[in-house]
């Protein structure tokens, strides 16, 4: 089965729906609000004058929020609908960002540009089968001394929902509605792969990156899974037998300054 085409079709539909959702709240972004969350802002620090490659950028809200902070951003996503909207938002806001419509594995095999920072966040690696290739794309795109900043949903959520925690050759193929509030009746068929934290960190270390930060977080900024409850001032949490389930993890990985 051609899982890449299956997922691309789903994301073409989701990009259209997400753009009109209150979940993504494009109007607030256009009015000046950043779409970035505290976790990634703290990890990234000042991005002024930094070149940033944003992998799986969707329709560019985070990419353009980084551009608003003075970064020179290149976003990559395989959805034409998403990239078309990202370009429109860049024109509307007059922000300096470049958007490339490509599968990230293909992008990685041809990209020769080097960046200070590679960034990816919230709902990215479950769409990728091969994390070795993903990590190679990241390492090759970093300048010497450059940093990868990654904030992702914790794989324990998959386990909680009855999916594997550990990597599998074959994806889970499911038909489900997306996570935005305006799309609870339409469904798409998608293929996703589980990736344990060990697999993620090993993939990054095997391409020569040094892990400089790793953390796990009990709160998610997004209400996008069953059973989450709001905790004012913190975001959303999930309790299992009264205890907080880890909902996010964050990684910073650095390329050696002499490479
Ligand atoms: C959950 S969204 C990422 C959300 C992101 N944090 C944001 O800015 O909203 C996942 C994105 O990955 C993209 N995607 C999935 N598989 C991809 C692939 N193989 N190559 C490039 N983009 C991909 C989808 O089009 C979608 O925009």
């Amino acid at each position: 089965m051609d899982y890449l085409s299956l997922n691309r079709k789903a994301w073409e539909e989701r990009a259209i729906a997400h753009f009109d959702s209150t979940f993504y709240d494009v109007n607030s972004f256009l009015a000046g609000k950043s779409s970035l969350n505290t976790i990634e802002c703290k990890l990234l620090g000042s991005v002024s004058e930094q070149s940033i490659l944003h992998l799986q950028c969707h329709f560019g809200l985070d990419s353009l929020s980084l551009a608003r902070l003075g970064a020179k951003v290149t976003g990559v996503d395989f959805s034409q609908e998403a990239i078309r909207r990202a370009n429109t938002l860049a024109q509307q806001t007059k922000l300096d960002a470049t958007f490339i419509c490509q599968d990230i594995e293909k992008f990685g095999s041809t990209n020769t540009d080097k960046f200070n920072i590679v960034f990816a966040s919230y709902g990215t690696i479950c769409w990728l089968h091969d994390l070795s290739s993903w990590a190679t794309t990241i390492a090759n795109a970093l300048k010497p001394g450059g940093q990868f900043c990654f904030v992702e949903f914790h794989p324990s959520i998959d386990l909680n929902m009855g999916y594997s925690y550990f990597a599998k050759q074959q994806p889970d193929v499911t038909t489900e509605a997306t996570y935005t509030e305006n799309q609870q009746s339409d469904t798409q068929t998608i293929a996703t792969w589980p990736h344990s934290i060990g697999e993620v960190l090993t993939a990054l270390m095997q391409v020569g990156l040094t892990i400089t930060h790793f953390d796990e977080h009990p709160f998610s900024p997004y209400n996008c899974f069953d059973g989450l409850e709001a905790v004012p001032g913190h975001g959303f949490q999930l309790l299992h037998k009264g205890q907080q389930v880890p909902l996010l993890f964050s990684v910073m990985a650095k390329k050696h300054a002499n490479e």
Side-chain angles (χ1 to χ4, degrees):
M1 192 164 184
D2 179 357
Y3 297 120
L4 185 64
S5 299
L6 183 82
N7 283 340
R8 197 192 301 257
K9 179 174 179 297
W11 276 108
E12 295 297 5
E13 291 173 25
R14 289 180 172 198
I16 296 168
H18 288 186
F19 196 81
D20 294 327
S21 68
T22 54
F23 185 99
Y24 277 94
D25 195 9
V26 171
N27 285 337
S28 290
F29 165 77
L30 287 171
K33 185 170 179 253
S34 171
S35 63
L36 298 166
N37 302 296
T38 310
I39 293 181
E40 55 266 29
C41 287
K42 277 191 181 159
L43 290 173
L44 286 163
S46 170
V47 295
S48 179
E49 305 293 319
Q50 300 290 297
S51 56
I52 301 183
L53 173 64
H54 182 193
L55 297 175
Q56 296 172 253
C57 64
H58 209 24
F59 41 78
L61 292 191
D62 286 358
S63 324
L64 293 166
S65 294
L66 290 165
R68 260 193 194 136
L69 296 172
K72 191 167 171 39
V73 184
T74 300
V76 181
D77 200 284
F78 72 173
S79 157
Q80 287 184 352
E81 292 288 350
I83 292 299
R84 196 165 62 74
R85 282 164 175 74
N87 279 318
T88 303
L89 289 174
Q91 281 165 10
Q92 274 178 279
T93 51
K94 298 186 174 44
L95 287 164
D96 182 15
T98 303
F99 292 101
I100 298 169
C101 186
Q102 212 165 28
D103 161 44
I104 65 160
E105 192 165 335
K106 204 161 196 179
F107 169 81
S109 65
T110 53
N111 173 53
T112 53
D113 290 337
K114 304 286 181 194
F115 300 83
N116 300 115
I117 297 168
V118 177
F119 173 63
S121 67
Y122 305 103
T124 55
I125 50 175
C126 62
W127 307 102
L128 311 177
H129 172 220
D130 182 2
L131 287 198
S132 314
S133 155
W134 169 78
T136 302
T137 296
I138 293 162
N140 287 345
L142 283 171
K143 290 180 183 176
Q147 301 241 56
F148 175 49
C149 176
F150 188 42
V151 184
E152 185 54 284
F153 293 115
H154 199 288
S156 66
I157 301 170
D158 299 332
L159 193 59
N160 227 58
M161 293 193 302
Y163 296 105
S164 172
Y165 175 82
F166 294 104
K168 294 194 317 177
Q169 194 59 26
Q170 288 301 313
D172 294 304
V173 179
T174 56
T175 300
E176 56 188 67
T178 188
Y179 47 86
T180 55
E181 80 297 332
N182 60 340
Q183 280 291 293
Q184 299 306 317
S185 52
D186 284 10
T187 58
Q188 291 84 32
T189 300
I190 53 173
T192 56
W193 288 266
H195 299 293
S196 69
I197 294 211
E199 187 194 358
V200 173
L201 297 181
T202 301
L204 294 171
M205 290 188 286
Q206 279 182 341
V207 292
L209 299 180
T210 302
I211 309 294
T212 57
H213 159 95
F214 173 74
D215 205 356
E216 295 166 289
H217 308 267
F219 297 105
S220 164
Y222 304 111
N223 184 14
C224 57
F225 300 108
D226 287 344
L228 297 188
E229 57 183 53
V231 181
H234 292 280
F236 298 89
Q237 70 175 7
L238 181 66
L239 297 180
H240 174 70
K241 297 185 180 176
Q243 303 298 327
Q244 287 181 314
V245 172
L247 293 182
L248 304 177
F249 69 98
S250 53
V251 179
M252 292 291 285
K254 191 168 185 169
K255 184 164 174 166
H256 201 275
N258 299 327
E259 276 181 59

PDB file of all heavy atoms in Angstrom, residues 227-251:
ATOM      1  N   GLY A 227     -10.249  12.358  26.895  1.00  0.00           N
ATOM      2  CA  GLY A 227      -9.994  12.226  28.326  1.00  0.00           C
ATOM      3  C   GLY A 227      -9.170  13.341  28.941  1.00  0.00           C
ATOM      4  O   GLY A 227      -8.881  13.298  30.136  1.00  0.00           O
ATOM      5  N   LEU A 228      -8.754  14.329  28.149  1.00  0.00           N
ATOM      6  CA  LEU A 228      -7.955  15.420  28.721  1.00  0.00           C
ATOM      7  C   LEU A 228      -8.847  16.337  29.554  1.00  0.00           C
ATOM      8  O   LEU A 228     -10.019  16.536  29.236  1.00  0.00           O
ATOM      9  CB  LEU A 228      -7.290  16.245  27.615  1.00  0.00           C
ATOM     10  CG  LEU A 228      -6.273  15.537  26.721  1.00  0.00           C
ATOM     11  CD1 LEU A 228      -5.583  16.554  25.813  1.00  0.00           C
ATOM     12  CD2 LEU A 228      -5.235  14.787  27.533  1.00  0.00           C
ATOM     13  N   GLU A 229      -8.266  16.895  30.601  1.00  0.00           N
ATOM     14  CA  GLU A 229      -9.014  17.879  31.390  1.00  0.00           C
ATOM     15  C   GLU A 229      -8.175  19.144  31.517  1.00  0.00           C
ATOM     16  O   GLU A 229      -6.944  19.084  31.614  1.00  0.00           O
ATOM     17  CB  GLU A 229      -9.373  17.322  32.768  1.00  0.00           C
ATOM     18  CG  GLU A 229      -8.187  16.861  33.592  1.00  0.00           C
ATOM     19  CD  GLU A 229      -8.616  16.244  34.913  1.00  0.00           C
ATOM     20  OE1 GLU A 229      -9.466  15.326  34.880  1.00  0.00           O
ATOM     21  OE2 GLU A 229      -8.105  16.663  35.961  1.00  0.00           O
ATOM     22  N   ALA A 230      -8.888  20.285  31.474  1.00  0.00           N
ATOM     23  CA  ALA A 230      -8.201  21.579  31.554  1.00  0.00           C
ATOM     24  C   ALA A 230      -7.740  21.857  32.972  1.00  0.00           C
ATOM     25  O   ALA A 230      -8.472  21.599  33.932  1.00  0.00           O
ATOM     26  CB  ALA A 230      -9.138  22.682  31.079  1.00  0.00           C
ATOM     27  N   VAL A 231      -6.527  22.358  33.099  1.00  0.00           N
ATOM     28  CA  VAL A 231      -6.006  22.833  34.388  1.00  0.00           C
ATOM     29  C   VAL A 231      -5.610  24.292  34.166  1.00  0.00           C
ATOM     30  O   VAL A 231      -4.620  24.570  33.487  1.00  0.00           O
ATOM     31  CB  VAL A 231      -4.776  22.011  34.840  1.00  0.00           C
ATOM     32  CG1 VAL A 231      -4.272  22.515  36.182  1.00  0.00           C
ATOM     33  CG2 VAL A 231      -5.106  20.537  34.896  1.00  0.00           C
ATOM     34  N   PRO A 232      -6.433  25.214  34.697  1.00  0.00           N
ATOM     35  CA  PRO A 232      -6.191  26.635  34.405  1.00  0.00           C
ATOM     36  C   PRO A 232      -4.742  27.047  34.675  1.00  0.00           C
ATOM     37  O   PRO A 232      -4.166  26.686  35.695  1.00  0.00           O
ATOM     38  CB  PRO A 232      -7.167  27.357  35.352  1.00  0.00           C
ATOM     39  CG  PRO A 232      -8.263  26.359  35.571  1.00  0.00           C
ATOM     40  CD  PRO A 232      -7.604  25.009  35.563  1.00  0.00           C
ATOM     41  N   GLY A 233      -4.178  27.737  33.690  1.00  0.00           N
ATOM     42  CA  GLY A 233      -2.799  28.220  33.830  1.00  0.00           C
ATOM     43  C   GLY A 233      -1.742  27.226  33.390  1.00  0.00           C
ATOM     44  O   GLY A 233      -0.561  27.556  33.316  1.00  0.00           O
ATOM     45  N   HIS A 234      -2.146  25.968  33.127  1.00  0.00           N
ATOM     46  CA  HIS A 234      -1.162  24.939  32.757  1.00  0.00           C
ATOM     47  C   HIS A 234      -1.428  24.293  31.399  1.00  0.00           C
ATOM     48  O   HIS A 234      -0.507  23.796  30.770  1.00  0.00           O
ATOM     49  CB  HIS A 234      -1.130  23.830  33.809  1.00  0.00           C
ATOM     50  CG  HIS A 234      -0.573  24.288  35.117  1.00  0.00           C
ATOM     51  ND1 HIS A 234       0.779  24.415  35.361  1.00  0.00           N
ATOM     52  CD2 HIS A 234      -1.195  24.680  36.246  1.00  0.00           C
ATOM     53  CE1 HIS A 234       0.973  24.852  36.587  1.00  0.00           C
ATOM     54  NE2 HIS A 234      -0.216  25.030  37.150  1.00  0.00           N
ATOM     55  N   GLY A 235      -2.683  24.203  30.991  1.00  0.00           N
ATOM     56  CA  GLY A 235      -3.021  23.494  29.760  1.00  0.00           C
ATOM     57  C   GLY A 235      -3.934  22.322  30.074  1.00  0.00           C
ATOM     58  O   GLY A 235      -4.872  22.447  30.870  1.00  0.00           O
ATOM     59  N   PHE A 236      -3.640  21.164  29.489  1.00  0.00           N
ATOM     60  CA  PHE A 236      -4.504  19.996  29.644  1.00  0.00           C
ATOM     61  C   PHE A 236      -3.694  18.845  30.201  1.00  0.00           C
ATOM     62  O   PHE A 236      -2.530  18.656  29.860  1.00  0.00           O
ATOM     63  CB  PHE A 236      -5.118  19.617  28.292  1.00  0.00           C
ATOM     64  CG  PHE A 236      -5.983  20.712  27.736  1.00  0.00           C
ATOM     65  CD1 PHE A 236      -5.434  21.712  26.935  1.00  0.00           C
ATOM     66  CD2 PHE A 236      -7.330  20.774  28.057  1.00  0.00           C
ATOM     67  CE1 PHE A 236      -6.230  22.752  26.462  1.00  0.00           C
ATOM     68  CE2 PHE A 236      -8.130  21.809  27.587  1.00  0.00           C
ATOM     69  CZ  PHE A 236      -7.572  22.798  26.786  1.00  0.00           C
ATOM     70  N   GLN A 237      -4.352  18.043  31.055  1.00  0.00           N
ATOM     71  CA  GLN A 237      -3.679  16.877  31.622  1.00  0.00           C
ATOM     72  C   GLN A 237      -4.545  15.640  31.441  1.00  0.00           C
ATOM     73  O   GLN A 237      -5.753  15.722  31.199  1.00  0.00           O
ATOM     74  CB  GLN A 237      -3.374  17.089  33.107  1.00  0.00           C
ATOM     75  CG  GLN A 237      -4.613  17.095  33.996  1.00  0.00           C
ATOM     76  CD  GLN A 237      -4.289  17.179  35.488  1.00  0.00           C
ATOM     77  OE1 GLN A 237      -3.141  17.370  35.874  1.00  0.00           O
ATOM     78  NE2 GLN A 237      -5.306  17.024  36.327  1.00  0.00           N
ATOM     79  N   LEU A 238      -3.892  14.485  31.544  1.00  0.00           N
ATOM     80  CA  LEU A 238      -4.590  13.202  31.482  1.00  0.00           C
ATOM     81  C   LEU A 238      -4.212  12.426  32.729  1.00  0.00           C
ATOM     82  O   LEU A 238      -3.022  12.296  33.045  1.00  0.00           O
ATOM     83  CB  LEU A 238      -4.141  12.439  30.225  1.00  0.00           C
ATOM     84  CG  LEU A 238      -4.770  11.078  29.979  1.00  0.00           C
ATOM     85  CD1 LEU A 238      -6.272  11.212  29.701  1.00  0.00           C
ATOM     86  CD2 LEU A 238      -4.094  10.395  28.779  1.00  0.00           C
ATOM     87  N   LEU A 239      -5.214  11.938  33.440  1.00  0.00           N
ATOM     88  CA  LEU A 239      -4.927  11.182  34.654  1.00  0.00           C
ATOM     89  C   LEU A 239      -5.151   9.693  34.424  1.00  0.00           C
ATOM     90  O   LEU A 239      -6.111   9.294  33.754  1.00  0.00           O
ATOM     91  CB  LEU A 239      -5.811  11.665  35.807  1.00  0.00           C
ATOM     92  CG  LEU A 239      -5.615  13.122  36.245  1.00  0.00           C
ATOM     93  CD1 LEU A 239      -6.557  13.466  37.400  1.00  0.00           C
ATOM     94  CD2 LEU A 239      -4.162  13.401  36.643  1.00  0.00           C
ATOM     95  N   HIS A 240      -4.253   8.865  34.948  1.00  0.00           N
ATOM     96  CA  HIS A 240      -4.401   7.416  34.934  1.00  0.00           C
ATOM     97  C   HIS A 240      -4.298   6.957  36.381  1.00  0.00           C
ATOM     98  O   HIS A 240      -3.259   7.158  37.015  1.00  0.00           O
ATOM     99  CB  HIS A 240      -3.291   6.784  34.076  1.00  0.00           C
ATOM    100  CG  HIS A 240      -3.290   5.291  34.115  1.00  0.00           C
ATOM    101  ND1 HIS A 240      -4.275   4.542  33.518  1.00  0.00           N
ATOM    102  CD2 HIS A 240      -2.438   4.412  34.695  1.00  0.00           C
ATOM    103  CE1 HIS A 240      -4.023   3.266  33.724  1.00  0.00           C
ATOM    104  NE2 HIS A 240      -2.919   3.155  34.432  1.00  0.00           N
ATOM    105  N   LYS A 241      -5.393   6.383  36.885  1.00  0.00           N
ATOM    106  CA  LYS A 241      -5.457   5.987  38.298  1.00  0.00           C
ATOM    107  C   LYS A 241      -5.051   7.156  39.205  1.00  0.00           C
ATOM    108  O   LYS A 241      -4.293   6.986  40.173  1.00  0.00           O
ATOM    109  CB  LYS A 241      -4.577   4.756  38.552  1.00  0.00           C
ATOM    110  CG  LYS A 241      -5.060   3.532  37.780  1.00  0.00           C
ATOM    111  CD  LYS A 241      -4.268   2.303  38.142  1.00  0.00           C
ATOM    112  CE  LYS A 241      -4.783   1.109  37.358  1.00  0.00           C
ATOM    113  NZ  LYS A 241      -4.024  -0.108  37.579  1.00  0.00           N
ATOM    114  N   GLY A 242      -5.489   8.357  38.817  1.00  0.00           N
ATOM    115  CA  GLY A 242      -5.247   9.532  39.651  1.00  0.00           C
ATOM    116  C   GLY A 242      -3.882  10.173  39.453  1.00  0.00           C
ATOM    117  O   GLY A 242      -3.588  11.196  40.070  1.00  0.00           O
ATOM    118  N   GLN A 243      -3.045   9.576  38.579  1.00  0.00           N
ATOM    119  CA  GLN A 243      -1.696  10.115  38.371  1.00  0.00           C
ATOM    120  C   GLN A 243      -1.580  10.728  36.971  1.00  0.00           C
ATOM    121  O   GLN A 243      -2.206  10.248  36.022  1.00  0.00           O
ATOM    122  CB  GLN A 243      -0.643   9.001  38.511  1.00  0.00           C
ATOM    123  CG  GLN A 243      -0.679   8.277  39.837  1.00  0.00           C
ATOM    124  CD  GLN A 243      -0.396   9.190  41.016  1.00  0.00           C
ATOM    125  OE1 GLN A 243       0.372  10.151  40.911  1.00  0.00           O
ATOM    126  NE2 GLN A 243      -1.039   8.920  42.147  1.00  0.00           N
ATOM    127  N   GLN A 244      -0.746  11.756  36.861  1.00  0.00           N
ATOM    128  CA  GLN A 244      -0.568  12.419  35.564  1.00  0.00           C
ATOM    129  C   GLN A 244       0.205  11.531  34.587  1.00  0.00           C
ATOM    130  O   GLN A 244       1.259  10.982  34.923  1.00  0.00           O
ATOM    131  CB  GLN A 244       0.202  13.727  35.741  1.00  0.00           C
ATOM    132  CG  GLN A 244      -0.633  14.828  36.395  1.00  0.00           C
ATOM    133  CD  GLN A 244       0.157  16.111  36.517  1.00  0.00           C
ATOM    134  OE1 GLN A 244       1.302  16.090  36.941  1.00  0.00           O
ATOM    135  NE2 GLN A 244      -0.461  17.215  36.144  1.00  0.00           N
ATOM    136  N   VAL A 245      -0.330  11.441  33.374  1.00  0.00           N
ATOM    137  CA  VAL A 245       0.337  10.723  32.282  1.00  0.00           C
ATOM    138  C   VAL A 245       1.253  11.719  31.562  1.00  0.00           C
ATOM    139  O   VAL A 245       0.856  12.873  31.370  1.00  0.00           O
ATOM    140  CB  VAL A 245      -0.738  10.194  31.291  1.00  0.00           C
ATOM    141  CG1 VAL A 245      -0.110   9.607  30.042  1.00  0.00           C
ATOM    142  CG2 VAL A 245      -1.639   9.184  31.983  1.00  0.00           C
ATOM    143  N   PRO A 246       2.475  11.329  31.161  1.00  0.00           N
ATOM    144  CA  PRO A 246       3.295  12.265  30.391  1.00  0.00           C
ATOM    145  C   PRO A 246       2.655  12.518  29.026  1.00  0.00           C
ATOM    146  O   PRO A 246       2.325  11.570  28.307  1.00  0.00           O
ATOM    147  CB  PRO A 246       4.640  11.545  30.245  1.00  0.00           C
ATOM    148  CG  PRO A 246       4.357  10.117  30.508  1.00  0.00           C
ATOM    149  CD  PRO A 246       3.154  10.050  31.404  1.00  0.00           C
ATOM    150  N   LEU A 247       2.455  13.782  28.686  1.00  0.00           N
ATOM    151  CA  LEU A 247       1.759  14.114  27.434  1.00  0.00           C
ATOM    152  C   LEU A 247       2.693  14.635  26.348  1.00  0.00           C
ATOM    153  O   LEU A 247       2.373  14.549  25.156  1.00  0.00           O
ATOM    154  CB  LEU A 247       0.654  15.146  27.689  1.00  0.00           C
ATOM    155  CG  LEU A 247      -0.528  14.659  28.521  1.00  0.00           C
ATOM    156  CD1 LEU A 247      -1.569  15.752  28.651  1.00  0.00           C
ATOM    157  CD2 LEU A 247      -1.166  13.405  27.906  1.00  0.00           C
ATOM    158  N   LEU A 248       3.816  15.207  26.758  1.00  0.00           N
ATOM    159  CA  LEU A 248       4.766  15.751  25.775  1.00  0.00           C
ATOM    160  C   LEU A 248       6.173  15.330  26.175  1.00  0.00           C
ATOM    161  O   LEU A 248       6.433  15.060  27.350  1.00  0.00           O
ATOM    162  CB  LEU A 248       4.761  17.287  25.776  1.00  0.00           C
ATOM    163  CG  LEU A 248       3.466  18.035  25.540  1.00  0.00           C
ATOM    164  CD1 LEU A 248       3.732  19.539  25.669  1.00  0.00           C
ATOM    165  CD2 LEU A 248       2.899  17.722  24.162  1.00  0.00           C
ATOM    166  N   PHE A 249       7.079  15.316  25.199  1.00  0.00           N
ATOM    167  CA  PHE A 249       8.502  15.271  25.538  1.00  0.00           C
ATOM    168  C   PHE A 249       9.218  16.305  24.680  1.00  0.00           C
ATOM    169  O   PHE A 249       8.706  16.723  23.632  1.00  0.00           O
ATOM    170  CB  PHE A 249       9.107  13.865  25.389  1.00  0.00           C
ATOM    171  CG  PHE A 249       9.217  13.353  23.980  1.00  0.00           C
ATOM    172  CD1 PHE A 249      10.427  13.441  23.294  1.00  0.00           C
ATOM    173  CD2 PHE A 249       8.136  12.774  23.334  1.00  0.00           C
ATOM    174  CE1 PHE A 249      10.555  12.945  22.006  1.00  0.00           C
ATOM    175  CE2 PHE A 249       8.248  12.281  22.035  1.00  0.00           C
ATOM    176  CZ  PHE A 249       9.459  12.363  21.373  1.00  0.00           C
ATOM    177  N   SER A 250      10.355  16.758  25.175  1.00  0.00           N
ATOM    178  CA  SER A 250      11.120  17.771  24.440  1.00  0.00           C
ATOM    179  C   SER A 250      12.582  17.359  24.368  1.00  0.00           C
ATOM    180  O   SER A 250      13.106  16.753  25.316  1.00  0.00           O
ATOM    181  CB  SER A 250      10.971  19.140  25.104  1.00  0.00           C
ATOM    182  OG  SER A 250      11.295  19.073  26.472  1.00  0.00           O
ATOM    183  N   VAL A 251      13.191  17.669  23.234  1.00  0.00           N
ATOM    184  CA  VAL A 251      14.587  17.298  22.984  1.00  0.00           C
ATOM    185  C   VAL A 251      15.299  18.474  22.334  1.00  0.00           C
ATOM    186  O   VAL A 251      14.736  19.139  21.465  1.00  0.00           O
ATOM    187  CB  VAL A 251      14.679  16.089  21.998  1.00  0.00           C
ATOM    188  CG1 VAL A 251      16.136  15.717  21.723  1.00  0.00           C
ATOM    189  CG2 VAL A 251      13.909  14.889  22.495  1.00  0.00           C
TER     190      VAL A 251
END
